C-alpha cells in the first residue's frame, strides 16, 4: 500500500510544506488534491526560502514527479509565474515532472472579480477569503458551468468557453454587484496564450498514477488548507470551497482507500487561523501577540498568500481530536514546538463549556462553536532554546510532557516535531 496522505489538522498553515518536503525524500510521486493558489507552502533549505502556492512542494526533490489532481483549481497565470520563479532558481519543471489533470478546473479573472465583489457585498459577514477566485471557480465546477483544464488542448473550444463564461460573470457583476464588466476578448486572448505554454503539462493523470501505484512507487498526497476549512467538515460558511480532509485526496487525485497505508496529520504546537469564523482558543492579548511574532521573520504568523496577520491562540485539543478521528490519522506531526519556549505556563484546551455544560466533542454548528469557551489543562513551560535539539531525549522534560499529553489525548503517536524552519530542524522519534 504505497500511499501517504498528509492533512492539516487545524485551519491551514500548519507547516505542511516543510513536512511534505521531508516525506518527499522517500516518495516518487507528490500530488496536490484540493484547493488552488489560496495555499501557501513555505520550505526553507539552508538560506533559501521557497514559497509555493500551487506547485506541490515535492518539486524541490529531483526524483519526484508532481501531479495536480482534478480536485485542484488552477490559475494559469499564477502557475506559470511560479514555474518561471522556480526555473530562475535552478529548479527544473519540465512537463514530464509535473502533470496537471485535464479534469482540474481553471480559475479566471472572472472568478477573482466575483470573489472580491461577493466579499465586499457581505461587509461585516465576509468570510475573509484570499480573493483568489477559489469559491466562484468551485461554484462553477459544481453547477457544471466550469472550465476544465483539458480545454487548453483545443484552443477554439477554450475561446468559446471563455467568452460564454465571462458573459455570465459580467451579468452577475453588473446586475448583482453594480461592478464594471470584464473584457471577454482580452481574457480569451490571454488564455489562448497560457494554453500554448500550459498544454504540455495537461494530461489524463490516471494511467501514470495507476502505473506508479501498481509498481509500488511511494505516492504522497499533499494536503492544502486544513480539516477545519473543509467545506463539509469545517464550520460552514467559514470554510474554503474544497475538501482538504482525507476524502478529498481520493477523489481529488483518483484512487481507492485500499492503496493508503498512512494518514499523517500535521498540527502546530499552538493554534492559528486567518479569515473569519469561530476559534475558541484565540488570544487577543500579549500571549497571542507573542505567538504571532512581529513579522520580522519569514516564519512569523502572517499569511504566506495574503500577508494578513494570523489569529493566534493555545492548542485546541477538541479540534485536534476531531481532525484525528474524521481523517483516521495514523500519526501526528507537531510543528513550531520551539515557539513555545520561554512561556512560564502553557495551556491546551481539553474540552469546551457550552451553555453551562462540558462538551468533549466539536460542535458542528457555527452558532454553538461561537459560544464555546475552552476548558484548559495547564502545563509548566520550559525556558531552554530547543532550536538546536535533534533527539527526543534531549528535549526538556516539560516539552516531552506537553507532547506526551497530546498523544494520550488523541490516542495516536507524535512521530516528528519541528523546532525551527530549516529542513534539518526536525526531531524524528
Ligand atoms: P478561500 O479559500 O480563499 O475561499 O478562503 C476561505 C477561507 O479559507 C478564508 O478564511 C481563508 O483565510 C481560508 N484559507 C484558504 N486557504 C488557506 C490557507 O492555505 N491557509 C489558511 N487559511 C486559508
Amino acid at each position: 500500500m504505497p500511499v501517504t496522505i498528509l492533512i492539516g489538522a487545524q485551519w491551514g498553515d500548519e507547516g505542511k510544506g516543510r513536512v511534505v518536503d521531508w516525506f518527499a525524500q522517500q516518495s516518487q510521486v507528490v500530488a496536490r488534491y484540493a484547493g488552488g493558489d489560496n495555499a501557501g507552502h513555505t520550505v526553507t533549505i539552508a538560506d533559501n526560502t521557497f514559497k509555493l502556492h500551487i506547485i506541490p512542494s515535492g518539486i524541490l526533490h529531483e526524483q519526484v514527479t508532481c501531479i495536480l489532481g482534478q480536485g485542484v483549481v488552477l490559475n494559469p497565470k499564477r502557475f506559470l509565474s511560479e514555474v518561471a520563479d522556480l526555473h530562475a532558481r535552478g529548479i527544473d519543471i519540465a512537463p514530464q515532472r509535473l502533470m496537471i489533470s485535464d479534469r482540474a478546473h481553471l480559475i479566471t479573472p472572472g472568478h477573482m472579480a466575483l470573489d472580491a465583489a461577493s466579499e465586499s457585498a457581505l461587509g461585516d459577514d465576509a468570510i475573509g477569503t484570499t480573493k483568489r477566485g477559489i469559491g466562484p471557480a468551485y461554484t462553477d465546477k459544481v453547477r457544471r458551468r466550469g472550465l476544465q483544464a483539458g480545454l487548453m488542448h483545443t484552443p477554439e473550444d477554450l475561446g468559446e468557453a471563455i467568452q460564454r463564461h465571462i458573459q455570465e460573470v459580467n451579468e452577475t457583476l453588473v446586475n448583482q454587484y453594480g461592478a464594471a464588466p470584464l473584457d471577454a476578448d482580452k481574457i480569451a486572448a490571454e488564455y489562448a496564450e497560457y494554453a500554448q505554454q500550459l498544454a504540455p503539462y495537461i494530461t489524463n493523470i490516471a494511467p501514470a498514477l495507476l502505473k506508479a501505484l501498481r509498481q509500488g512507487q511511494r505516492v504522497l498526497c499533499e494536503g492544502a488548507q486544513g480539516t477545519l476549512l473543509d467545506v463539509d467538515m469545517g464550520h460552514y460558511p467559514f470554510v474554503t470551497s474544497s475538501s482538504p480532509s482525507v476524502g478529498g485526496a481520493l477523489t481529488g487525485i483518483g484512487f481507492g482507500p485500499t492503496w493508503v497505508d498512512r494518514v499523517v496529520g500535521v498540527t502546530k504546537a499552538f493554534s492559528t487561523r486567518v479569515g473569519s469564523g469561530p476559534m475558541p482558543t484565540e488570544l487577543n492579548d500579549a500571549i497571542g501577540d507573542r505567538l504571532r511574532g512581529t513579522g520580522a521573520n519569514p516564519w512569523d504568523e502572517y499569511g504566506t498568500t495574503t500577508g494578513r496577520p494570523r489569529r493566534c491562540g493555545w492548542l485546541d485539543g477538541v479540534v485536534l481530536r476531531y481532525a484525528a478521528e474524521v481523517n483516521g490519522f495514523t500519526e501526528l506531526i507537531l510543528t513550531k514546538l520551539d515557539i513555545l519556549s520561554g512561556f512560564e505556563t502553557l495551556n491546551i484546551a481539553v474540552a469546551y463549556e457550552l451553555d453551562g455544560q462540558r462538551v468533549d466533542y466539536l460542535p458542528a454548528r457555527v452558532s454553538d462553536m461561537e459560544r464555546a469557551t475552552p476548558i484548559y489543562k495547564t502545563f509548566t513551560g520550559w525556558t531552554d532554546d530547543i532550536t538546536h535539539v535533534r533527539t527526543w531525549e534531549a528535549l526538556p522534560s516539560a516539552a516531552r510532557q506537553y507532547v506526551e499529553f497530546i498523544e494520550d489525548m488523541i490516542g495516536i503517536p507524535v512521530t516528528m516535531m519541528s523546532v525551527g524552519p530549516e529542513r534539518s530542524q526536525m526531531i524524528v522519534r
Side-chain angles (χ1 to χ4, degrees):
M1 294 192 289
V3 176
T4 300
I5 304 178
L6 206 132
I7 292 175
Q10 300 167 304
W11 290 274
D13 306 322
E14 295 90 353
K16 293 180 296 296
R18 62 101 43 86
V19 176
V20 171
D21 178 64
W22 181 275
F23 275 79
Q25 294 174 62
Q26 310 127 31
S27 306
Q28 283 76 47
V29 177
V30 177
R32 264 280 299 268
Y33 59 86
D37 57 304
N38 47 349
H41 289 168
T42 306
V43 182
T44 304
I45 306 166
D47 292 334
N48 284 316
T49 297
F50 295 87
K51 287 185 187 290
L52 299 162
H53 296 282
I54 185 67
I55 295 179
S57 315
I59 203 77
L60 303 174
H61 291 263
E62 263 176 24
Q63 88 288 357
V64 164
T65 300
C66 286
I67 294 178
L68 292 176
Q70 54 270 4
V72 163
V73 284
L74 182 84
N75 180 326
K77 183 176 180 182
R78 299 268 298 172
F79 172 85
L80 289 168
S81 97
E82 231 170 76
V83 169
D85 283 352
L86 285 167
H87 186 71
R89 297 176 73 178
I91 314 280
D92 162 42
I93 320 247
Q96 301 88 299
R97 283 202 66 209
L98 179 51
M99 290 179 263
I100 301 172
S101 167
D102 49 9
R103 291 173 161 133
H105 277 248
L106 299 175
I107 299 176
T108 70
H111 294 131
M112 293 173 70
L114 288 175
D115 198 352
S118 154
E119 282 288 274
S120 131
L122 283 168
D124 286 348
D125 296 328
I127 292 161
T129 73
T130 58
K131 304 219 177 94
R132 297 295 162 123
I134 305 297
Y138 280 114
T139 303
D140 275 353
K141 166 179 168 171
V142 173
R143 73 184 186 107
R144 292 158 295 179
R145 300 292 283 168
L147 307 165
Q148 284 188 313
L151 280 170
M152 290 209 153
H153 284 305
T154 48
E156 213 169 283
D157 296 341
L158 176 68
E160 271 174 33
I162 294 270
Q163 290 282 353
R164 187 258 308 151
H165 158 71
I166 296 296
Q167 196 183 329
E168 283 179 11
V169 167
N170 281 344
E171 278 164 28
T172 311
L173 281 178
V174 174
N175 299 334
Q176 191 174 330
Y177 296 114
L182 302 175
D183 182 340
D185 291 339
K186 186 167 158 254
I187 295 169
E190 208 183 300
Y191 273 64
E193 234 172 75
Y194 297 148
Q196 286 186 12
Q197 297 175 66
L198 267 178
Y201 294 96
I202 295 170
T203 184
N204 177 2
I205 61 170
L209 178 74
L210 289 170
K211 187 169 163 203
L213 289 172
R214 283 198 202 99
Q215 287 175 346
Q217 290 187 24
R218 197 83 219 158
V219 177
L220 175 64
C221 305
E222 171 175 341
Q225 288 81 46
T227 305
L228 272 283
L229 289 179
D230 188 292
V231 67
D232 292 302
M233 308 310 299
H235 289 106
Y236 191 92
F238 300 108
V239 290
T240 190
S241 298
S242 67
S243 302
S245 56
V246 74
L250 308 187
T251 51
I253 299 170
F255 55 81
T258 42
W259 288 106
V260 183
D261 63 355
R262 287 175 89 174
V263 184
V264 181
V266 184
T267 179
K268 264 181 204 159
F270 49 100
S271 299
T272 67
R273 168 164 209 175
V274 271
S276 314
M279 180 183 179
T281 64
E282 181 174 13
L283 295 169
N284 288 307
D285 60 12
I287 296 175
D289 291 345
R290 179 160 159 199
L291 290 170
R292 184 178 307 109
T294 58
N297 305 305
W299 57 86
D300 286 346
E301 297 296 347
Y302 293 79
T304 314
T305 300
T306 59
R308 290 180 288 179
R310 295 181 184 140
R311 301 158 64 192
C312 295
W314 296 122
L315 184 66
D316 190 331
V318 184
V319 162
L320 197 53
R321 214 163 32 224
Y322 172 76
E325 282 167 2
V326 299
N327 290 303
F329 290 159
T330 55
E331 64 206 85
L332 188 70
I333 295 178
L334 204 63
T335 60
K336 297 190 93 168
L337 188 60
D338 55 303
I339 300 297
L340 296 185
S341 295
F343 283 97
E344 214 166 288
T345 54
L346 301 167
N347 286 329
I348 296 179
V350 291
Y352 299 143
E353 188 182 316
L354 180 59
D355 301 335
Q357 303 278 333
R358 180 189 166 108
V359 291
D360 297 310
Y361 55 85
L362 191 81
R365 295 190 53 100
V366 173
S367 52
D368 290 341
M369 189 69 174
E370 275 168 346
R371 291 197 318 285
T373 53
I375 298 172
Y376 285 119
K377 178 170 169 58
T378 301
F379 297 79
T380 308
W382 58 92
T383 48
D384 324 30
D385 171 14
I386 58 170
T387 53
H388 57 279
V389 172
R390 294 293 175 273
T391 62
W392 171 248
E393 293 71 25
L395 276 174
S397 71
R400 291 201 304 264
Q401 278 169 23
Y402 184 83
V403 175
E404 280 168 348
F405 179 81
I406 295 170
E407 293 185 313
D408 288 347
M409 182 176 62
I410 58 169
I412 53 167
V414 172
T415 51
M416 292 205 274
M417 286 138 278
S418 79
V419 289
E422 215 283 323
R423 198 181 241 177
S424 64
Q425 289 177 296
M426 191 74 105
I427 298 172
V428 184
R429 274 168 93 189

